[in-house]
Amino acid sequence: MLGAPGAGKGTQAEKISEQLGIPHVSTGDILRAQIKDGTEYGKKAKEYVESGELVPDELIFDIIEDFINSDRARNGFLLDGFPRNIAQAEKLNRMLEKAGAELDKVINIVVDNEEIIQRLSMRRICRDCRQVSIFDQSGDEECGRCGGTLIKRKDDREDVIRQRLEVYDRQTHPLVEYYRNKGILVNIDGTGTMEKVTERIMDSL
Ligand code: AP5
């Protein structure tokens, strides 16, 4: 899954992996869980994640390699948030080659920056189950799934959102061309209802 921050990668990864019956891995979710638990790994990642910078590549590679080589990934998988730059994409090629696998498709969800900023400033996540939701004007601060407290991600402050968009343009967006040249890129309009976006992705597969 490729796309700018807030394009809907996490939302769609969950729906698509459910429909296809394959696991998905989100590097962002793993990093936030490690930060929340205060692990050594989380301590190393915290400053980067909360300021909107990418964490160093080496901190990500082991997570992805372990996942690709695990039993869970045997029947296919969906990656959300990795790769994030050309070096990570090249590393992914080597990992997949070693595992005898290859990428079928790269789904690039496209949403303009104005809508992204609006979505991210309204986003809340559940402190307990990490479910993503949208803050509504009713002021309801409870998770619809588990009843836990909804919180705002530290990197969803407007200044950090802008920084993440800048990092995306500079480091991640070149992957669009990279995968287009490999003939496996699919551009998906990420606007409209979440269900409509899922339908577009499923049709493209
Ligand atoms: P990560 O968690 O991957 O963040 P991101 O790429 O910035 O993406 P987001 O999670 O913000 O957005 P999303 O596209 O998943 O949108 P969502 O579905 O939530 O990474 C965070 C940080 O971790 C990075 O900045 C970096 O520091 C680090 N990191 C992670 N991976 C790394 C890597 N490989 N290398 C180095 N560093 C790495 O949707 C957004 C909101 O919109 C939600 O509220 C949702 O409900 C709503 N929404 C979704 N779809 C729609 C729709 N169709 N209409 C209206 N609202 C919608």
Side-chain angles (χ1 to χ4, degrees), residues 156-182:
D156 278 348
R157 283 195 346 239
E158 193 169 333
D159 56 329
V160 186
I161 295 172
R162 289 192 189 282
Q163 173 62 16
R164 287 160 62 203
L165 286 171
E166 204 264 315
V167 168
Y168 170 78
D169 281 343
R170 195 165 21 93
Q171 301 199 48
T172 310
H173 191 260
L175 291 176
V176 171
E177 194 58 32
Y178 179 87
Y179 285 119
R180 184 181 294 129
N181 290 338
K182 288 187 180 291

PDB file of all heavy atoms in Angstrom, residues 156-182:
ATOM      1  N   ASP A 156      -0.242  13.796  14.613  1.00  0.00           N
ATOM      2  CA  ASP A 156      -1.379  14.387  13.907  1.00  0.00           C
ATOM      3  C   ASP A 156      -1.587  15.861  14.278  1.00  0.00           C
ATOM      4  O   ASP A 156      -2.669  16.416  14.080  1.00  0.00           O
ATOM      5  CB  ASP A 156      -2.674  13.576  14.165  1.00  0.00           C
ATOM      6  CG  ASP A 156      -2.770  12.353  13.256  1.00  0.00           C
ATOM      7  OD1 ASP A 156      -1.973  12.247  12.296  1.00  0.00           O
ATOM      8  OD2 ASP A 156      -3.639  11.491  13.507  1.00  0.00           O
ATOM      9  N   ARG A 157      -0.536  16.515  14.816  1.00  0.00           N
ATOM     10  CA  ARG A 157      -0.583  17.980  15.006  1.00  0.00           C
ATOM     11  C   ARG A 157      -0.306  18.608  13.657  1.00  0.00           C
ATOM     12  O   ARG A 157       0.486  18.066  12.875  1.00  0.00           O
ATOM     13  CB  ARG A 157       0.503  18.413  15.980  1.00  0.00           C
ATOM     14  CG  ARG A 157       0.199  18.151  17.431  1.00  0.00           C
ATOM     15  CD  ARG A 157       1.147  18.944  18.320  1.00  0.00           C
ATOM     16  NE  ARG A 157       2.293  19.491  17.630  1.00  0.00           N
ATOM     17  CZ  ARG A 157       3.565  19.214  17.946  1.00  0.00           C
ATOM     18  NH1 ARG A 157       3.852  18.387  18.913  1.00  0.00           N
ATOM     19  NH2 ARG A 157       4.563  19.773  17.283  1.00  0.00           N
ATOM     20  N   GLU A 158      -0.908  19.795  13.409  1.00  0.00           N
ATOM     21  CA  GLU A 158      -0.807  20.334  12.048  1.00  0.00           C
ATOM     22  C   GLU A 158       0.639  20.518  11.574  1.00  0.00           C
ATOM     23  O   GLU A 158       0.965  20.190  10.426  1.00  0.00           O
ATOM     24  CB  GLU A 158      -1.581  21.646  11.919  1.00  0.00           C
ATOM     25  CG  GLU A 158      -1.719  21.984  10.446  1.00  0.00           C
ATOM     26  CD  GLU A 158      -2.680  23.116  10.141  1.00  0.00           C
ATOM     27  OE1 GLU A 158      -3.619  23.336  10.939  1.00  0.00           O
ATOM     28  OE2 GLU A 158      -2.483  23.760   9.091  1.00  0.00           O
ATOM     29  N   ASP A 159       1.534  20.996  12.454  1.00  0.00           N
ATOM     30  CA  ASP A 159       2.922  21.220  12.002  1.00  0.00           C
ATOM     31  C   ASP A 159       3.604  19.894  11.643  1.00  0.00           C
ATOM     32  O   ASP A 159       4.361  19.806  10.676  1.00  0.00           O
ATOM     33  CB  ASP A 159       3.729  21.991  13.060  1.00  0.00           C
ATOM     34  CG  ASP A 159       3.717  21.305  14.414  1.00  0.00           C
ATOM     35  OD1 ASP A 159       2.724  20.627  14.754  1.00  0.00           O
ATOM     36  OD2 ASP A 159       4.724  21.410  15.146  1.00  0.00           O
ATOM     37  N   VAL A 160       3.290  18.836  12.411  1.00  0.00           N
ATOM     38  CA  VAL A 160       3.905  17.525  12.131  1.00  0.00           C
ATOM     39  C   VAL A 160       3.284  16.900  10.875  1.00  0.00           C
ATOM     40  O   VAL A 160       3.982  16.267  10.080  1.00  0.00           O
ATOM     41  CB  VAL A 160       3.804  16.571  13.349  1.00  0.00           C
ATOM     42  CG1 VAL A 160       4.568  15.280  13.084  1.00  0.00           C
ATOM     43  CG2 VAL A 160       4.338  17.228  14.615  1.00  0.00           C
ATOM     44  N   ILE A 161       1.986  17.146  10.667  1.00  0.00           N
ATOM     45  CA  ILE A 161       1.344  16.630   9.437  1.00  0.00           C
ATOM     46  C   ILE A 161       2.069  17.229   8.223  1.00  0.00           C
ATOM     47  O   ILE A 161       2.410  16.534   7.269  1.00  0.00           O
ATOM     48  CB  ILE A 161      -0.159  16.985   9.382  1.00  0.00           C
ATOM     49  CG1 ILE A 161      -0.927  16.287  10.511  1.00  0.00           C
ATOM     50  CG2 ILE A 161      -0.753  16.615   8.029  1.00  0.00           C
ATOM     51  CD1 ILE A 161      -2.385  16.729  10.673  1.00  0.00           C
ATOM     52  N   ARG A 162       2.338  18.546   8.287  1.00  0.00           N
ATOM     53  CA  ARG A 162       3.002  19.204   7.154  1.00  0.00           C
ATOM     54  C   ARG A 162       4.394  18.620   6.921  1.00  0.00           C
ATOM     55  O   ARG A 162       4.825  18.408   5.791  1.00  0.00           O
ATOM     56  CB  ARG A 162       3.067  20.723   7.364  1.00  0.00           C
ATOM     57  CG  ARG A 162       1.705  21.348   7.229  1.00  0.00           C
ATOM     58  CD  ARG A 162       1.717  22.858   7.142  1.00  0.00           C
ATOM     59  NE  ARG A 162       0.347  23.354   7.225  1.00  0.00           N
ATOM     60  CZ  ARG A 162      -0.528  23.334   6.219  1.00  0.00           C
ATOM     61  NH1 ARG A 162      -0.173  22.878   5.042  1.00  0.00           N
ATOM     62  NH2 ARG A 162      -1.764  23.786   6.387  1.00  0.00           N
ATOM     63  N   GLN A 163       5.093  18.348   8.027  1.00  0.00           N
ATOM     64  CA  GLN A 163       6.416  17.748   7.916  1.00  0.00           C
ATOM     65  C   GLN A 163       6.330  16.353   7.289  1.00  0.00           C
ATOM     66  O   GLN A 163       7.124  15.977   6.422  1.00  0.00           O
ATOM     67  CB  GLN A 163       7.044  17.665   9.336  1.00  0.00           C
ATOM     68  CG  GLN A 163       8.359  16.920   9.429  1.00  0.00           C
ATOM     69  CD  GLN A 163       9.463  17.585   8.610  1.00  0.00           C
ATOM     70  OE1 GLN A 163       9.350  18.742   8.210  1.00  0.00           O
ATOM     71  NE2 GLN A 163      10.526  16.838   8.350  1.00  0.00           N
ATOM     72  N   ARG A 164       5.330  15.565   7.702  1.00  0.00           N
ATOM     73  CA  ARG A 164       5.161  14.208   7.138  1.00  0.00           C
ATOM     74  C   ARG A 164       4.854  14.275   5.643  1.00  0.00           C
ATOM     75  O   ARG A 164       5.339  13.451   4.873  1.00  0.00           O
ATOM     76  CB  ARG A 164       4.033  13.470   7.874  1.00  0.00           C
ATOM     77  CG  ARG A 164       4.444  13.040   9.271  1.00  0.00           C
ATOM     78  CD  ARG A 164       3.249  12.770  10.157  1.00  0.00           C
ATOM     79  NE  ARG A 164       2.405  11.704   9.689  1.00  0.00           N
ATOM     80  CZ  ARG A 164       1.118  11.567  10.019  1.00  0.00           C
ATOM     81  NH1 ARG A 164       0.554  12.445  10.846  1.00  0.00           N
ATOM     82  NH2 ARG A 164       0.423  10.567   9.574  1.00  0.00           N
ATOM     83  N   LEU A 165       4.055  15.281   5.245  1.00  0.00           N
ATOM     84  CA  LEU A 165       3.745  15.415   3.815  1.00  0.00           C
ATOM     85  C   LEU A 165       5.008  15.781   3.027  1.00  0.00           C
ATOM     86  O   LEU A 165       5.222  15.295   1.913  1.00  0.00           O
ATOM     87  CB  LEU A 165       2.666  16.488   3.616  1.00  0.00           C
ATOM     88  CG  LEU A 165       1.257  16.054   4.027  1.00  0.00           C
ATOM     89  CD1 LEU A 165       0.298  17.257   4.014  1.00  0.00           C
ATOM     90  CD2 LEU A 165       0.720  14.956   3.108  1.00  0.00           C
ATOM     91  N   GLU A 166       5.850  16.605   3.661  1.00  0.00           N
ATOM     92  CA  GLU A 166       7.091  17.007   2.989  1.00  0.00           C
ATOM     93  C   GLU A 166       8.029  15.804   2.842  1.00  0.00           C
ATOM     94  O   GLU A 166       8.612  15.561   1.785  1.00  0.00           O
ATOM     95  CB  GLU A 166       7.717  18.124   3.845  1.00  0.00           C
ATOM     96  CG  GLU A 166       8.647  19.052   3.110  1.00  0.00           C
ATOM     97  CD  GLU A 166      10.081  18.603   3.293  1.00  0.00           C
ATOM     98  OE1 GLU A 166      10.488  18.275   4.433  1.00  0.00           O
ATOM     99  OE2 GLU A 166      10.795  18.562   2.278  1.00  0.00           O
ATOM    100  N   VAL A 167       8.125  15.000   3.912  1.00  0.00           N
ATOM    101  CA  VAL A 167       8.957  13.784   3.880  1.00  0.00           C
ATOM    102  C   VAL A 167       8.404  12.810   2.834  1.00  0.00           C
ATOM    103  O   VAL A 167       9.155  12.181   2.083  1.00  0.00           O
ATOM    104  CB  VAL A 167       9.009  13.115   5.283  1.00  0.00           C
ATOM    105  CG1 VAL A 167       9.599  11.713   5.218  1.00  0.00           C
ATOM    106  CG2 VAL A 167       9.805  13.990   6.251  1.00  0.00           C
ATOM    107  N   TYR A 168       7.084  12.721   2.778  1.00  0.00           N
ATOM    108  CA  TYR A 168       6.466  11.830   1.784  1.00  0.00           C
ATOM    109  C   TYR A 168       6.870  12.273   0.367  1.00  0.00           C
ATOM    110  O   TYR A 168       7.310  11.461  -0.442  1.00  0.00           O
ATOM    111  CB  TYR A 168       4.929  11.847   1.933  1.00  0.00           C
ATOM    112  CG  TYR A 168       4.267  11.143   0.775  1.00  0.00           C
ATOM    113  CD1 TYR A 168       4.216   9.749   0.723  1.00  0.00           C
ATOM    114  CD2 TYR A 168       3.750  11.866  -0.307  1.00  0.00           C
ATOM    115  CE1 TYR A 168       3.666   9.093  -0.370  1.00  0.00           C
ATOM    116  CE2 TYR A 168       3.201  11.214  -1.401  1.00  0.00           C
ATOM    117  CZ  TYR A 168       3.165   9.832  -1.423  1.00  0.00           C
ATOM    118  OH  TYR A 168       2.640   9.187  -2.514  1.00  0.00           O
ATOM    119  N   ASP A 169       6.724  13.575   0.070  1.00  0.00           N
ATOM    120  CA  ASP A 169       7.034  14.067  -1.294  1.00  0.00           C
ATOM    121  C   ASP A 169       8.485  13.776  -1.662  1.00  0.00           C
ATOM    122  O   ASP A 169       8.789  13.349  -2.758  1.00  0.00           O
ATOM    123  CB  ASP A 169       6.821  15.591  -1.378  1.00  0.00           C
ATOM    124  CG  ASP A 169       5.351  15.914  -1.525  1.00  0.00           C
ATOM    125  OD1 ASP A 169       4.578  15.004  -1.872  1.00  0.00           O
ATOM    126  OD2 ASP A 169       4.976  17.073  -1.275  1.00  0.00           O
ATOM    127  N   ARG A 170       9.369  14.015  -0.692  1.00  0.00           N
ATOM    128  CA  ARG A 170      10.808  13.910  -0.973  1.00  0.00           C
ATOM    129  C   ARG A 170      11.271  12.457  -1.028  1.00  0.00           C
ATOM    130  O   ARG A 170      12.003  12.074  -1.933  1.00  0.00           O
ATOM    131  CB  ARG A 170      11.556  14.688   0.131  1.00  0.00           C
ATOM    132  CG  ARG A 170      12.992  14.984  -0.169  1.00  0.00           C
ATOM    133  CD  ARG A 170      13.590  16.045   0.756  1.00  0.00           C
ATOM    134  NE  ARG A 170      12.932  16.259   2.020  1.00  0.00           N
ATOM    135  CZ  ARG A 170      13.265  15.652   3.155  1.00  0.00           C
ATOM    136  NH1 ARG A 170      14.232  14.781   3.178  1.00  0.00           N
ATOM    137  NH2 ARG A 170      12.617  15.922   4.279  1.00  0.00           N
ATOM    138  N   GLN A 171      10.821  11.636  -0.068  1.00  0.00           N
ATOM    139  CA  GLN A 171      11.411  10.299   0.046  1.00  0.00           C
ATOM    140  C   GLN A 171      10.525   9.159  -0.476  1.00  0.00           C
ATOM    141  O   GLN A 171      11.031   8.181  -0.997  1.00  0.00           O
ATOM    142  CB  GLN A 171      11.749  10.018   1.513  1.00  0.00           C
ATOM    143  CG  GLN A 171      12.727  11.039   2.072  1.00  0.00           C
ATOM    144  CD  GLN A 171      13.402  10.513   3.338  1.00  0.00           C
ATOM    145  OE1 GLN A 171      13.878   9.395   3.374  1.00  0.00           O
ATOM    146  NE2 GLN A 171      13.424  11.322   4.368  1.00  0.00           N
ATOM    147  N   THR A 172       9.217   9.279  -0.284  1.00  0.00           N
ATOM    148  CA  THR A 172       8.346   8.143  -0.623  1.00  0.00           C
ATOM    149  C   THR A 172       7.744   8.259  -2.025  1.00  0.00           C
ATOM    150  O   THR A 172       7.650   7.262  -2.739  1.00  0.00           O
ATOM    151  CB  THR A 172       7.215   8.000   0.426  1.00  0.00           C
ATOM    152  OG1 THR A 172       7.813   8.012   1.729  1.00  0.00           O
ATOM    153  CG2 THR A 172       6.451   6.698   0.255  1.00  0.00           C
ATOM    154  N   HIS A 173       7.375   9.491  -2.415  1.00  0.00           N
ATOM    155  CA  HIS A 173       6.709   9.639  -3.711  1.00  0.00           C
ATOM    156  C   HIS A 173       7.529   9.088  -4.890  1.00  0.00           C
ATOM    157  O   HIS A 173       6.941   8.535  -5.849  1.00  0.00           O
ATOM    158  CB  HIS A 173       6.299  11.102  -3.934  1.00  0.00           C
ATOM    159  CG  HIS A 173       5.388  11.256  -5.098  1.00  0.00           C
ATOM    160  ND1 HIS A 173       5.824  11.686  -6.338  1.00  0.00           N
ATOM    161  CD2 HIS A 173       4.071  10.958  -5.246  1.00  0.00           C
ATOM    162  CE1 HIS A 173       4.811  11.671  -7.179  1.00  0.00           C
ATOM    163  NE2 HIS A 173       3.741  11.236  -6.547  1.00  0.00           N
ATOM    164  N   PRO A 174       8.874   9.162  -4.878  1.00  0.00           N
ATOM    165  CA  PRO A 174       9.638   8.557  -5.989  1.00  0.00           C
ATOM    166  C   PRO A 174       9.324   7.075  -6.216  1.00  0.00           C
ATOM    167  O   PRO A 174       9.554   6.543  -7.300  1.00  0.00           O
ATOM    168  CB  PRO A 174      11.106   8.743  -5.553  1.00  0.00           C
ATOM    169  CG  PRO A 174      11.076   9.959  -4.679  1.00  0.00           C
ATOM    170  CD  PRO A 174       9.762   9.898  -3.951  1.00  0.00           C
ATOM    171  N   LEU A 175       8.745   6.409  -5.214  1.00  0.00           N
ATOM    172  CA  LEU A 175       8.391   4.992  -5.392  1.00  0.00           C
ATOM    173  C   LEU A 175       7.252   4.802  -6.399  1.00  0.00           C
ATOM    174  O   LEU A 175       7.102   3.727  -6.972  1.00  0.00           O
ATOM    175  CB  LEU A 175       7.980   4.367  -4.048  1.00  0.00           C
ATOM    176  CG  LEU A 175       9.105   4.189  -3.028  1.00  0.00           C
ATOM    177  CD1 LEU A 175       8.555   3.653  -1.717  1.00  0.00           C
ATOM    178  CD2 LEU A 175      10.165   3.239  -3.568  1.00  0.00           C
ATOM    179  N   VAL A 176       6.453   5.858  -6.609  1.00  0.00           N
ATOM    180  CA  VAL A 176       5.355   5.758  -7.576  1.00  0.00           C
ATOM    181  C   VAL A 176       5.961   5.473  -8.959  1.00  0.00           C
ATOM    182  O   VAL A 176       5.567   4.546  -9.659  1.00  0.00           O
ATOM    183  CB  VAL A 176       4.509   7.057  -7.575  1.00  0.00           C
ATOM    184  CG1 VAL A 176       3.505   7.062  -8.713  1.00  0.00           C
ATOM    185  CG2 VAL A 176       3.794   7.214  -6.231  1.00  0.00           C
ATOM    186  N   GLU A 177       6.968   6.273  -9.318  1.00  0.00           N
ATOM    187  CA  GLU A 177       7.645   6.094 -10.606  1.00  0.00           C
ATOM    188  C   GLU A 177       8.380   4.750 -10.647  1.00  0.00           C
ATOM    189  O   GLU A 177       8.360   4.028 -11.645  1.00  0.00           O
ATOM    190  CB  GLU A 177       8.649   7.268 -10.760  1.00  0.00           C
ATOM    191  CG  GLU A 177       9.208   7.473 -12.152  1.00  0.00           C
ATOM    192  CD  GLU A 177       8.114   7.714 -13.189  1.00  0.00           C
ATOM    193  OE1 GLU A 177       7.075   8.294 -12.841  1.00  0.00           O
ATOM    194  OE2 GLU A 177       8.322   7.265 -14.340  1.00  0.00           O
ATOM    195  N   TYR A 178       9.010   4.423  -9.522  1.00  0.00           N
ATOM    196  CA  TYR A 178       9.790   3.183  -9.409  1.00  0.00           C
ATOM    197  C   TYR A 178       8.911   1.966  -9.721  1.00  0.00           C
ATOM    198  O   TYR A 178       9.270   1.105 -10.517  1.00  0.00           O
ATOM    199  CB  TYR A 178      10.349   3.116  -7.975  1.00  0.00           C
ATOM    200  CG  TYR A 178      11.176   1.900  -7.630  1.00  0.00           C
ATOM    201  CD1 TYR A 178      12.550   1.872  -7.883  1.00  0.00           C
ATOM    202  CD2 TYR A 178      10.590   0.783  -7.020  1.00  0.00           C
ATOM    203  CE1 TYR A 178      13.314   0.757  -7.538  1.00  0.00           C
ATOM    204  CE2 TYR A 178      11.346  -0.325  -6.676  1.00  0.00           C
ATOM    205  CZ  TYR A 178      12.705  -0.329  -6.931  1.00  0.00           C
ATOM    206  OH  TYR A 178      13.455  -1.426  -6.591  1.00  0.00           O
ATOM    207  N   TYR A 179       7.729   1.923  -9.116  1.00  0.00           N
ATOM    208  CA  TYR A 179       6.860   0.762  -9.327  1.00  0.00           C
ATOM    209  C   TYR A 179       6.092   0.861 -10.649  1.00  0.00           C
ATOM    210  O   TYR A 179       5.714  -0.151 -11.221  1.00  0.00           O
ATOM    211  CB  TYR A 179       5.920   0.567  -8.130  1.00  0.00           C
ATOM    212  CG  TYR A 179       6.651  -0.020  -6.940  1.00  0.00           C
ATOM    213  CD1 TYR A 179       6.740   0.669  -5.737  1.00  0.00           C
ATOM    214  CD2 TYR A 179       7.286  -1.257  -7.039  1.00  0.00           C
ATOM    215  CE1 TYR A 179       7.430   0.131  -4.650  1.00  0.00           C
ATOM    216  CE2 TYR A 179       7.980  -1.799  -5.963  1.00  0.00           C
ATOM    217  CZ  TYR A 179       8.046  -1.100  -4.778  1.00  0.00           C
ATOM    218  OH  TYR A 179       8.744  -1.632  -3.717  1.00  0.00           O
ATOM    219  N   ARG A 180       5.875   2.097 -11.127  1.00  0.00           N
ATOM    220  CA  ARG A 180       5.240   2.225 -12.449  1.00  0.00           C
ATOM    221  C   ARG A 180       6.169   1.598 -13.501  1.00  0.00           C
ATOM    222  O   ARG A 180       5.744   0.856 -14.367  1.00  0.00           O
ATOM    223  CB  ARG A 180       4.979   3.699 -12.773  1.00  0.00           C
ATOM    224  CG  ARG A 180       4.228   3.859 -14.095  1.00  0.00           C
ATOM    225  CD  ARG A 180       3.973   5.289 -14.471  1.00  0.00           C
ATOM    226  NE  ARG A 180       3.073   5.949 -13.552  1.00  0.00           N
ATOM    227  CZ  ARG A 180       3.311   7.111 -12.969  1.00  0.00           C
ATOM    228  NH1 ARG A 180       4.437   7.760 -13.213  1.00  0.00           N
ATOM    229  NH2 ARG A 180       2.443   7.647 -12.135  1.00  0.00           N
ATOM    230  N   ASN A 181       7.464   1.886 -13.351  1.00  0.00           N
ATOM    231  CA  ASN A 181       8.428   1.323 -14.303  1.00  0.00           C
ATOM    232  C   ASN A 181       8.485  -0.201 -14.236  1.00  0.00           C
ATOM    233  O   ASN A 181       8.865  -0.851 -15.197  1.00  0.00           O
ATOM    234  CB  ASN A 181       9.831   1.896 -14.054  1.00  0.00           C
ATOM    235  CG  ASN A 181       9.902   3.354 -14.456  1.00  0.00           C
ATOM    236  OD1 ASN A 181       9.088   3.814 -15.266  1.00  0.00           O
ATOM    237  ND2 ASN A 181      10.839   4.107 -13.889  1.00  0.00           N
ATOM    238  N   LYS A 182       8.129  -0.761 -13.109  1.00  0.00           N
ATOM    239  CA  LYS A 182       8.105  -2.228 -12.985  1.00  0.00           C
ATOM    240  C   LYS A 182       6.788  -2.823 -13.493  1.00  0.00           C
ATOM    241  O   LYS A 182       6.612  -4.037 -13.510  1.00  0.00           O
ATOM    242  CB  LYS A 182       8.312  -2.641 -11.524  1.00  0.00           C
ATOM    243  CG  LYS A 182       9.745  -2.427 -11.034  1.00  0.00           C
ATOM    244  CD  LYS A 182       9.911  -3.002  -9.647  1.00  0.00           C
ATOM    245  CE  LYS A 182      11.327  -2.810  -9.117  1.00  0.00           C
ATOM    246  NZ  LYS A 182      12.331  -3.616  -9.821  1.00  0.00           N
TER     247      LYS A 182
END
